[in-house]
Amino acid sequence: MIKSTRIAFSPKVGVIYRLNKGAVLNYEFILTDNTLSFLSTIKSLFDTGTPLELYLPSENLTGSIRTECDGIITARGIIAGKSVGVVLNDFKIKGGGFGTENSRRMVAFLKQMKNEETPVIFIIDSIGVRIMEGRKVFDGAFRVIPALKDFVKDNLLITVVKKRALGIGALLYTFGDYRFAISEDSHLNLTGPEVFKMFFGAKANFDEIASSKRQQKKNSIVHDICDSQEEVNRKIREIFLFSNVVDNGLLVESSRHGSNADADPTLDAIGSTRIELFSQLSPVVKIHMHKMLIYNFATFMNPKGKANMITVEAIKKFRLALNLLKKLKLPIFTIVDTPGGDPRVEENDKGILEEMTQMTVDIIDYPYLKKGFITGRCYGGASVSSIPPFFGGQKTTIVEGGACGIMGDNIISHLLSSSPRLHAEWEENRTNEKADFSDYMEQGILDKIIKRDEIGTEIIATLINNRNVAENDVNVDEYLMSFSGYSTSKLMSGYSKYVGVDEDLNRLVDNV
């Protein structure tokens, strides 16, 4: 546990905590505005008017706070009412390198954040380990790796490469549950440009080969490339605002920026405020976090009517999102319209069978409410993403026009055409496959058929009927009545007609 000394000072700056082994001391310490100017780029991350707490390595300041931080800043602030840790490499102090002492402080900080179940944002701009310290640095710097491994097992880690993540910095970056890069020209590599030239010559273009743009395209290490730190700050805040990791389990403010510009009839039918995650990865599946009434949830959706067979890259994106959303404690809903797995040789060579198996395991192990909607095609491997009850999901709901089965009838007919006996057996069994899906309903797999514009109503009904899905024991009737005048039954009886129209409901959504 990190012990601390609290220093009270000007509210413009916040509260500072220092590491120390002695008794806690309270005294006044006024900071000028420019003392912490190097932290101004992350100011917009935090709730307005809340303090930033710095964890420093010593009880007594011998230099500036920036110097005391020694290239690695460890701090804590408030995002959406939730305490969030921040680790930040300061490149101007010895290249933001990982040395013996600053790495030990980072390890201690991570252990405390883990014990307090506090998410961490790690902004990396580093040359890697401090080779100038000699081989003694190994014992200090490389302890960060098991510390991060231990932390991310049950806690949210967001990583950002600011300009460069080299050496151990590149390794640590990959631990992030969601990974940003500032500019497509920021760099990730196990070595820096000078070592790169030593091995590959002056003609090797380090800037291009190590760029975040190339890393995202070739291996998806980078999830989201932004133009500025401000854009990263905004997106990180949105992730917290749409999650269930805030202290009271409810949103504390609304975000209605242009995210809903990604018009889609199914998403519009849900009627929520939403943001998209992993938007720069595979287009086969789109992932959104939603806010509707008192609820936060996420959807996985195959864009309507697209040629979107399930590929390895789509599965990897699905799995990345499951991991992140589990840390954010969100219920998930899938909206399926895909013919199934991509059978092409290149996908098989990439290991689609293993990836599909791992995705299935991830779905089964997902600990919060999960339910599928079938809005179009759902054949073969696509049935995995519909989250049937035997995978731990709620009963699947099918939307008018949806189709599901092992394969399409024309394909099955072709495959069995060489055997009249087997074809006849299939034809006989097909007579039991009802157009109204009552056969699936009798098996307990499907629950009902709905219209597309009823998806939002069905999601809300599912959430209300499973109100403890995110460990938040909320009396929905009392909560809604307290500031809206709507009971659950009244709200649900005519929810569809209210979406985007009723002023009271809009006020309700804006104030949750």
Side-chain angles (χ1 to χ4, degrees), residues 52 152 173 207 296 298 426:
L52 181 67
V152 299
Y173 175 77
D207 289 344
N296 306 315
W426 169 67

Side-chain angles (χ1 to χ4, degrees), residues 297-300 318 322 325 330-334 363 366 368-372 387:
F297 59 92
T299 59
F300 296 69
F318 199 107
L322 280 176
L325 296 169
L330 286 176
I332 59 171
F333 298 88
T334 57
I363 288 172
Y366 193 81
Y368 300 108
L369 174 71
K370 47 198 174 188
K371 177 181 172 65
I387 319 182

Side-chain angles (χ1 to χ4, degrees), residues 426-445:
W426 169 67
E427 287 283 8
E428 181 181 354
N429 286 320
R430 193 164 66 124
T431 61
N432 296 319
E433 296 175 0
K434 307 301 182 183
D436 62 359
F437 297 100
S438 57
D439 54 319
Y440 266 171
M441 293 178 189
E442 289 173 3
Q443 295 175 43
I445 297 173

Side-chain angles (χ1 to χ4, degrees), residues 83-130:
S83 180
V84 178
V86 180
V87 179
L88 175 66
N89 291 113
D90 184 3
F91 192 79
K92 289 190 175 181
I93 305 294
K94 297 183 180 180
F98 295 86
T100 303
E101 296 304 322
N102 62 5
S103 294
R104 287 175 177 166
R105 172 164 44 91
M106 181 176 170
V107 168
F109 180 75
L110 287 170
K111 286 182 178 178
Q112 180 160 332
M113 297 301 100
K114 175 182 179 295
N115 291 339
E116 297 175 3
E117 299 182 349
T118 300
V120 168
I121 300 164
F122 186 10
I123 302 173
I124 304 170
D125 190 5
S126 174
I127 59 171
V129 297
R130 289 181 177 172

Side-chain angles (χ1 to χ4, degrees), residues 122-248:
F122 186 10
I123 302 173
I124 304 170
D125 190 5
S126 174
I127 59 171
V129 297
R130 289 181 177 172
I131 57 174
M132 67 286 284
E133 290 189 14
R135 62 188 185 189
K136 72 173 184 179
V137 76
F138 182 86
D139 183 60
F142 280 81
R143 287 179 184 270
V144 176
I145 296 175
L148 266 184
K149 173 183 175 295
D150 193 38
F151 177 83
V152 299
K153 185 166 59 174
D154 298 306
N155 298 279
L156 174 66
L157 176 70
I158 296 175
T159 51
V160 182
V161 55
K162 187 174 183 179
K163 290 186 179 178
R164 55 193 78 75
L166 305 178
I168 192 174
L171 291 176
L172 301 178
Y173 175 77
T174 64
F175 278 95
D177 299 303
Y178 201 89
R179 303 191 284 267
F180 290 97
I182 300 176
S183 166
E184 62 185 26
D185 297 324
S186 53
H187 299 141
L188 293 121
N189 204 56
L190 287 176
T191 65
E194 295 304 319
V195 175
F196 200 79
K197 288 178 183 178
M198 288 172 63
F199 276 86
F200 303 109
K203 291 184 179 180
N205 190 335
F206 176 84
D207 289 344
E208 179 183 344
I209 293 171
S211 70
S212 293
K213 180 181 181 181
R214 180 182 176 89
Q215 301 299 322
Q216 186 183 70
K217 183 178 180 180
K218 293 292 185 181
N219 49 45
S220 302
I221 286 176
V222 178
H223 300 158
D224 199 332
I225 299 176
C226 298
D227 292 332
S228 66
Q229 181 71 57
E230 282 298 307
E231 184 180 356
V232 170
N233 293 349
R234 174 178 62 79
K235 288 189 174 183
I236 291 175
R237 280 189 59 79
E238 287 176 344
I239 289 172
F240 282 98
L241 288 166
F242 280 73
S243 76
N244 281 335
V245 297
V246 293
D247 286 339
N248 61 1

